[in-house]
Amino acid sequence: MKEYKIVFSGTAGAGKTTAIAAISEVEVVATDVANTDATLQKATTTVGLDFGLITVEGGSRVRLFGTPGQARFDFMWRILATDALGVVLLIDNSRPDPLADLEVYLAGFAEAIARVPCVIGVGRHETHPEPGIDAFAQRLEQRGLVLPVLPVDVRRRDDVLLLIDTLIAQAESGLAESTA
Amino acid sequence: MDLVLGLHGLPGAEVALVKTILRLSSTLQASWSVTESLVCDLLLLGETREQVAVAAGTLIVPVLGRGEPADGGAVLRRPIRAEELLDLLNAVAARRPAARARPTRGASPVPPAPAAATPATALAGTSARLKRWPTWSMLNGNVAYLRIATTLSKASHTPQRVSELSGVPLEACEAFMRKLDAHQLLVWEGKPAPRAQADAARTGLFASLRSKLGIRL
């Protein structure tokens, strides 16, 4: 039996806990406290880790970790992303500057992104279409990165599955790369 | 040859938006005029109960809301975004070799037209990778295109290998890779070296994870 992990990170309120709950076979263990940040329109916020679990054939387990969104917890991001199957970055497009938010997470996960699959899900895009999905791709290109960028609504399980499928596809592609 | 963009069944605000985007754009690679008649090269079709009869060779692109199902062809999604509209027009222009390049504003040089698509015979056995994530209008909400692009985002592969990894038929992989190439999104890296042995444990894990979550290739 082996243990693997997938890390969900991104801005506070972007839906990390919701995304994990959509696919976890156990009730998500959420380490929430009352939210005292007036800029966040939610009652609670994650200050530890969210934890979910998927058990696969053979008894191996894939642990799903949701990181706190605030940048002061970036030390946790780096630790969690080590040896992860992949990282899902969720961006809330209703925030004042989603592209700047993206930059924060690209910097915080820079070491991991160089080694493990990463997919970016942009939430609340239907109600807040600016910046467009292509603007995220352009920002990634400016940083020399080619990463999948998808509009998602993590309240829909199919959208979360699409993020996971995209992560797996990246991983499979990297495993299959020709050697020089 | 100038190209004509037809608008039919669209609300007045969208007609005005499209005209404004074309008027202000500096990245169009052909000269486009707009008409509300059906005599055009590309027809953006909104909601209409009437049967629309167009000339042979006219490309009809429905304008649909995001999340509305499409029948697999090109779609322009609402709200209409400038970059998606311009990508569509440039892709259509790239298929019309007689289209005239449009002068750009200011002192910038005229951008080159998209490179001619690589013939199918040239693709076989040659590997490529993405140099930029495609526009959302190119992916068009199509899961197969998303898988192909994702496979090419991480590493360089031949179309055959893309088909094996993504589960998408080879012909569709080749067609989409030609489209990516026409938009200069691919870096071709020649014939691939022999593959290393795949990590069987990881391959099995991914298959199990997809099965557990109900994800089908």
Side-chain angles (χ1 to χ4, degrees), chain A residues 3-178:
Chain A
E3 301 272 343
Y4 302 93
K5 57 184 169 179
I6 295 175
V7 177
F8 291 76
S9 192
T11 50
K16 299 180 290 297
T17 308
T18 304
I20 292 173
I23 58 174
S24 174
E25 65 192 34
V26 301
E27 195 171 325
V28 174
V29 176
T31 53
D32 288 354
V33 296
N35 177 35
T36 57
D37 183 344
T39 66
L40 287 180
Q41 299 300 315
K42 56 198 297 245
T44 60
T45 192
T46 304
V47 290
L49 298 173
D50 288 332
F51 179 77
L53 185 67
I54 303 172
T55 307
V56 296
E57 198 177 298
S60 293
R61 304 196 303 178
V62 179
R63 295 174 292 170
L64 311 169
F65 288 106
T67 72
Q70 292 88 345
R72 64 180 180 274
F73 294 109
D74 63 354
F75 66 97
M76 295 176 71
W77 304 349
R78 286 189 287 273
I79 294 170
L80 279 175
T82 304
D83 297 327
L85 283 183
V87 175
V88 177
L89 295 181
L90 296 175
I91 303 294
D92 178 355
N93 222 40
S94 70
R95 283 169 56 91
D97 194 344
L99 291 174
D101 291 337
L102 174 67
E103 295 276 8
V104 168
Y105 292 93
L106 292 180
F109 285 97
E111 271 183 46
I113 288 172
R115 293 177 290 103
V116 304
C118 176
V119 59
I120 295 159
V122 180
R124 298 187 175 90
H125 190 257
E126 290 177 4
T127 53
H128 298 78
E130 292 294 339
I133 296 300
D134 298 337
F136 288 89
Q138 285 169 8
R139 187 61 66 94
L140 290 169
E141 184 187 20
Q142 288 164 9
R143 281 180 143 263
L145 295 170
V146 182
L147 298 174
V149 185
L150 320 174
V152 293
D153 181 345
V154 294
R155 296 169 301 177
R156 294 197 287 248
R157 186 170 187 269
D158 282 352
D159 282 17
V160 181
L161 293 181
L162 189 59
L163 287 171
I164 300 299
D165 185 41
T166 304
L167 211 60
I168 294 174
Q170 267 204 316
E172 289 171 328
S173 173
L175 278 182
E177 184 174 22
S178 304

